[in-house]
Amino acid sequence: MEPMDIVGKSKEDASLPKDVRVARDAQDLLIECCVEFINLISSESNEVCNREDKRTIAPEHVLKALEVLGFGKYIEEVYAAYEQHKIETLQDSLKDGKWSNGAEMTEEEAVAEQQRMFAEARARMNGGAVAPKQPDPDPSLES
């Protein structure tokens, strides 16, 4: 199995920014470095996961692995990129009509709900408690 197959892409699918000129052998070296970095983070994430008696690597395991491996200064940026990815994925799903929980929700409501869930997850990750979501008042009961 090729290392890049793990994430579903071959070496040919990996690319550098268009405005960067890189010799072919340097490009191959950069790609191999990326593969090794991913393997390193994945391995340490798995170790963190195992120490917590979990079976599936979660985002918090990856963030902890970054810290353990000495990449702690990147955690905030990595987490922000993760949150942005989740928002974009949610928006794409809403656009494509793939997301449905039985109740109709506007895109703005869904994004607001996603942000609320991120805040709760962030608080849990930082050891803080979050008040449970209060149900929205039923508009039919208002006079």
Side-chain angles (χ1 to χ4, degrees), residues 4 10 34 51 64 67 77 87 101 106 115-116 119 138:
M4 293 291 285
S10 68
C34 291
R51 283 192 296 267
K64 180 66 177 173
E67 183 181 320
E77 187 176 343
I87 290 169
N101 64 353
T106 66
Q115 289 298 327
R116 183 192 65 74
D138 187 347

Side-chain angles (χ1 to χ4, degrees), residues 9 17 29 53-54 76 114 137:
K9 296 192 182 258
L29 178 60
D53 293 324
K54 303 289 183 182
E76 190 173 318
Q114 183 79 17

Side-chain angles (χ1 to χ4, degrees), residues 30-77:
L30 283 169
I31 290 171
E32 289 303 319
C33 288
C34 291
V35 169
E36 286 303 313
F37 181 74
I38 290 168
N39 287 333
L40 177 68
I41 297 295
S42 299
S43 178
E44 185 61 35
S45 298
N46 190 50
E47 291 292 321
V48 171
C49 181
N50 288 337
R51 283 192 296 267
E52 294 181 6
D53 293 324
K54 303 289 183 182
R55 294 174 50 149
T56 304
I57 296 172
E60 57 268 17
H61 299 134
V62 176
L63 296 174
K64 180 66 177 173
L66 286 170
E67 183 181 320
V68 167
L69 293 169
F71 297 102
K73 68 181 184 178
Y74 299 103
I75 290 175
E76 190 173 318
E77 187 176 343

